Amino acid sequence: MDSCCQDLIQESTNTRLNQGHPCFSTGRHQKAGRIHLAVAPACNISCNYCVRKFDCANESRPGVTSKVLKPEEALQRVIEAKQSSMGQYLNVVGIAGPGDPLANPSTFKTLELVKEHFPELILCLSTNGLLLPEKIDDLVRIGVSHLTVTINAIDKATASAIYSYIRWKEHTYIGFDAAHILLQNQLEGVKLASQEGLTVKVNTVVIPGLNDAGIPDLAREVKRRGADLLNLMPLIPQAKFAHRVPPSHEQIQELRKQVAPILPQMTHCQQCRADAIGLV
């Protein structure tokens, strides 16, 4: 590819990353607000670092919410937020759990309601990617424009150490079988989403001694599939990984430095709750 084509691709990527979504923009995260609607309690994979809690007001991390909402309750929460003092900043509605949004029919009902009442708002969604290839048409139909896919490894041995199991097409898979299906669907989902014009961010939980050495290869692979942005998140030691040491700030910075030439880096992630609201 010649330098002219590379410059055009980079310009297009920069434009998409600065369209007002605080979790994708490198410069607007303190000017644009978002609300996460916790309507998706069910999950179809078991991550060894994940603990999902409801009615937990004192923790700020993914998987936590004070209440699981019904779609109509979620719409009302958006209405109230738009009428509040932060309404002028609110331009993004996202669904990020506390389980996997694509494994919950309530996700799609909620997005449809929000789109009907607030067509000007950006719709986004976070997923583990297991169901992404089969749900991408629904996301496009509803008008989701920003997508986050959590991919923690592209090596099956590494992935099989991060996930206890997956639940797919009414069967439970473990080990290499689970890793193979999950990785195949994640990468195909990123490719399809990119081809449909969605802006795609990949989240990767950095687990020192397990997946950190493979992150540059992961960055190259997801870029090849069309990802626009990479977000390296430090492990929060809990669940089966409670004994593991999280990466230091310096380790995260060094990894970002290594992969920045491959994909733009998100550096302001707060590892938000499933019911977060406001500026990042």
Side-chain angles (χ1 to χ4, degrees), residues 8-27:
L8 288 174
I9 291 172
Q10 186 60 52
E11 182 180 352
S12 175
T13 298
N14 291 340
T15 298
R16 290 197 302 273
L17 296 182
N18 286 282
Q19 290 179 336
H21 194 305
C23 300
F24 288 72
S25 171
T26 56

Side-chain angles (χ1 to χ4, degrees), residues 137-271:
D137 288 345
D138 290 326
L139 299 182
V140 172
R141 172 182 57 81
I142 293 171
V144 173
S145 60
H146 290 69
L147 180 71
T148 296
V149 186
T150 299
I151 304 177
N152 293 316
I154 56 169
D155 173 75
K156 294 176 186 177
T158 303
S160 65
I162 295 174
Y163 307 102
S164 292
Y165 66 82
I166 69 168
R167 181 72 177 170
W168 188 61
K169 295 187 181 296
E170 300 183 357
H171 294 280
T172 299
Y173 299 87
I174 62 174
F176 274 58
D177 290 338
H180 173 75
I181 294 169
L182 179 59
L183 293 174
Q184 177 177 272
N185 289 6
Q186 287 174 330
L187 293 175
E188 179 66 13
V190 169
K191 175 184 174 183
L192 293 172
S194 178
Q195 289 175 343
E196 290 289 351
L198 278 71
T199 304
V200 180
K201 173 166 64 72
V202 170
N203 280 359
T204 298
V205 177
V206 178
I207 310 168
L210 183 54
N211 73 341
D212 50 335
I215 286 175
D217 286 339
L218 184 153
R220 282 186 282 268
E221 185 61 31
V222 299
K223 179 181 180 180
R224 189 170 73 84
R225 303 300 178 111
D228 298 289
L229 184 68
L230 181 63
N231 177 28
L232 299 182
M233 306 163 58
L235 171 73
I236 300 174
Q238 56 186 4
K240 293 182 179 180
F241 281 178
H243 64 287
R244 286 192 167 270
V245 178
S248 66
H249 175 74
E250 291 73 21
Q251 287 175 307
I252 291 289
Q253 291 299 95
E254 178 58 30
L255 277 172
R256 286 173 175 164
K257 182 178 178 181
Q258 288 181 33
V259 297
I262 305 171
L263 274 174
Q265 299 294 296
M266 179 181 175
T267 60
H268 57 277
C269 177
Q270 299 298 308
Q271 294 179 280

Side-chain angles (χ1 to χ4, degrees), residues 57-176:
N58 299 315
E59 290 189 72
S60 183
R61 58 170 176 79
V64 172
T65 183
S66 294
K67 179 184 179 182
V68 176
L69 303 173
K70 296 178 180 178
E72 293 76 14
E73 293 175 318
L75 174 63
Q76 184 59 37
R77 182 155 296 186
V78 177
I79 293 172
E80 293 169 357
K82 288 291 287 183
Q83 293 174 344
S84 73
S85 59
M86 74 154 293
Q88 60 181 317
Y89 303 107
L90 183 63
N91 64 343
V92 177
V93 172
I95 299 180
D100 186 72
L102 297 184
N104 293 263
S106 54
T107 293
F108 303 95
K109 177 62 174 177
T110 300
L111 292 173
E112 289 169 345
L113 286 172
V114 172
K115 189 67 174 179
E116 177 184 351
H117 288 80
F118 299 98
E120 75 282 3
L121 292 179
I122 294 172
L123 299 182
C124 75
L125 181 140
S126 297
T127 177
N128 59 45
L130 180 60
L131 295 178
L132 187 51
E134 60 193 85
K135 299 294 185 180
I136 188 65
D137 288 345
D138 290 326
L139 299 182
V140 172
R141 172 182 57 81
I142 293 171
V144 173
S145 60
H146 290 69
L147 180 71
T148 296
V149 186
T150 299
I151 304 177
N152 293 316
I154 56 169
D155 173 75
K156 294 176 186 177
T158 303
S160 65
I162 295 174
Y163 307 102
S164 292
Y165 66 82
I166 69 168
R167 181 72 177 170
W168 188 61
K169 295 187 181 296
E170 300 183 357
H171 294 280
T172 299
Y173 299 87
I174 62 174
F176 274 58

